Amino acid sequence: MFMVGPTFFSGEAAFSPVLTPGSEATIASPGSTTWVGAVPLSATKAIIMYSAAGQPLRAIVADVSGTTITPATAVSVEATWCVMAKAVALSSTSALVVYTRQSDGALRAVVLSVSGSTITVNTAVTLVMGSTALSYFSIALIDSTRVIVGRSNSPGGYDFMVVTISGTTVTANTVYTHATVGNPSLAAPYLAALSSTEIAVVYRDRWTVLSTTADGARGMVLSVSGTTITLPVGPQDLIHQYGPFGAHQHCMHAVSSSRVAFVLPPNAGGVFTAMEYDIVGGLFSPVGGVAASTANALVGSAQCFDVSSVTASGYLVVTVDSPNQDLTSTPLQASGAGPVIGSRVVVRDNPSPLTYPASASLTATKKLVVYTDSASVYGVVFDVT
């Protein structure tokens, strides 16, 4: 089932969206699926990606008319199993896909060109970042020719690189490493572009208070000039006792050029938390307190997590809930006085356990959400009013 819950707002009217879903569509039936990704190209078109053990990384165009989804023919992006793939749209006819291979941990990037419903896979390049061990990553669009990639670098740090795109050619540039106290190998950083020169980052790191040592979240700002990244010096301030975990989709968004809102995945209590921070002089300053969901989210499964924007400060948080792995969503409000979580609403009920949801924001009021029951890839479009 799909629900609507957390949404982030900044001084807007209360966010109480009404969701009108269309019919569930089968996008692909590869027989096995362990990762699903999605990126919108326009109000009527998105690229869906999926892969699994023994399966290549595939991409397929989904055309949308109203709430009806029409999938095209899938193409192979990488011939081997890719445990993760994330994409950003460069234009209405192209997207950059970054993915990591399971066999050797290689991080690769490629431009997909789209003509109608046909995808052309161009030449991929390897992004040499950190160790060759399999690790999680995130990407964020800076502009139509630059994308920043952040990757955990076991045993103690995060690597960042600005990837440049000229036409269909991808170029890997200098890697910059931010050292951490702990080992963040199981945590992709959160990235959000505040502007073309500043990237907000929330990352997982070790902290110690008195006799307690644990992993939590720290926040920092990267300065970007061309392909040069300037990193802050030393460990940054702890901003929450829980930290990013897993291979999430896009869990942090820029509310403005000086404010971010983000959601941390379910902790041991089965709740996920929402936060709002102003960024002043490169430092994270909390806005209000922390909002927590009801205790029914799937614990430790940050892969079952995505956030889709509706307004500049209003979002739908898509999750997978215990105990039946039902798809849910919730609204959240970044009111300027702290986030407020709204009521969940059922959007889709499915008989099989679902996982790996990914949302494509076709417009502010039309969302495509794709997911899998581990065998097939499904999608549903819903209107938001």
Side-chain angles (χ1 to χ4, degrees):
M1 78 188 158
F2 248 98
M3 301 182 177
V4 186
T7 308
F8 301 106
F9 277 49
S10 276
E12 301 177 13
F15 187 60
S16 300
V18 176
L19 303 186
T20 305
S23 299
E24 181 180 87
T26 300
I27 294 173
S29 298
S32 175
T33 306
T34 55
W35 178 266
V36 176
V39 59
L41 294 179
S42 70
T44 59
K45 195 181 297 290
I47 296 175
I48 311 302
M49 302 163 293
Y50 55 96
S51 187
Q55 300 278 346
L57 172 63
R58 296 185 176 100
I60 187 171
V61 168
D63 290 305
V64 177
S65 177
T67 58
T68 300
I69 304 169
T70 303
T73 301
V75 299
S76 176
V77 177
E78 177 74 33
T80 187
W81 175 21
C82 296
V83 294
M84 191 189 324
K86 298 179 180 181
V88 290
L90 303 172
S91 69
S92 62
T93 58
S94 66
L96 179 75
V97 178
V98 179
Y99 58 91
T100 183
R101 292 191 302 223
Q102 192 279 337
S103 59
D104 57 5
L107 190 65
R108 309 262 286 166
V110 64
V111 171
L112 303 185
S113 303
V114 178
S115 177
S117 297
T118 301
I119 297 175
T120 299
V121 180
N122 297 290
T123 302
V125 300
T126 299
L127 310 180
V128 181
M129 301 174 68
S131 68
T132 57
L134 186 66
S135 57
Y136 295 152
F137 69 90
S138 294
I139 64 175
L141 182 71
I142 300 175
D143 54 41
S144 62
T145 62
R146 292 182 302 159
V147 172
I148 188 166
V149 180
R151 185 188 194 192
S152 57
N153 175 7
S154 181
Y158 284 96
D159 284 350
F160 298 94
M161 176 194 290
V162 174
V163 175
T164 49
I165 304 100
S166 177
T168 60
T169 301
V170 180
T171 300
N173 296 292
T174 303
V175 177
Y176 298 84
T177 301
H178 179 74
T180 58
V181 178
N183 183 353
S185 63
L186 293 179
Y190 289 4
L191 303 176
L194 301 172
S195 67
S196 61
T197 59
E198 288 190 321
I199 309 296
V201 183
V202 170
Y203 64 99
R204 187 180 186 90
D205 197 8
R206 186 68 47 83
W207 58 272
T208 300
V209 177
L210 299 177
S211 60
T212 301
T213 298
D215 283 339
R218 298 185 189 273
M220 66 180 178
V221 176
L222 308 181
S223 297
V224 178
S225 176
T227 61
T228 300
I229 300 173
T230 301
L231 297 161
V233 178
Q236 302 303 292
D237 289 340
L238 179 74
I239 60 176
H240 196 266
Q241 63 179 329
Y242 299 116
F245 184 84
H248 59 80
Q249 302 281 355
H250 302 93
C251 291
M252 181 165 71
H253 290 254
V255 178
S256 69
S257 61
S258 60
R259 179 173 294 177
V260 294
F262 61 92
V263 179
L264 293 176
N267 56 48
V271 302
F272 59 83
T273 50
M275 278 157 281
E276 186 179 356
Y277 277 83
D278 282 335
I279 297 177
V280 181
L283 300 177
F284 280 59
S285 177
V287 178
V290 175
S293 68
T294 55
N296 65 343
L298 193 63
V299 176
S301 196
Q303 295 91 336
C304 304
F305 216 55
D306 201 1
V307 180
S308 181
S309 61
V310 177
T311 68
S313 54
Y315 305 87
L316 301 177
V317 179
V318 180
T319 64
V320 171
D321 278 10
S322 300
N324 300 316
Q325 290 187 227
D326 293 326
L327 278 171
T328 67
S329 176
T330 314
L332 181 94
Q333 191 168 347
S335 62
V340 178
I341 291 179
S343 301
R344 300 182 308 154
V345 177
V346 176
V347 177
R348 179 62 62 203
D349 191 357
N350 287 273
S352 301
L354 301 175
T355 189
Y356 298 101
S359 62
S361 186
L362 302 172
T363 69
T365 58
K366 191 178 292 290
K367 310 298 176 184
L368 166 64
V369 178
V370 294
Y371 44 93
T372 178
D373 62 0
S374 299
S376 296
V377 179
Y378 303 97
V380 62
V381 172
F382 57 88
D383 294 318
V384 182
T385 54

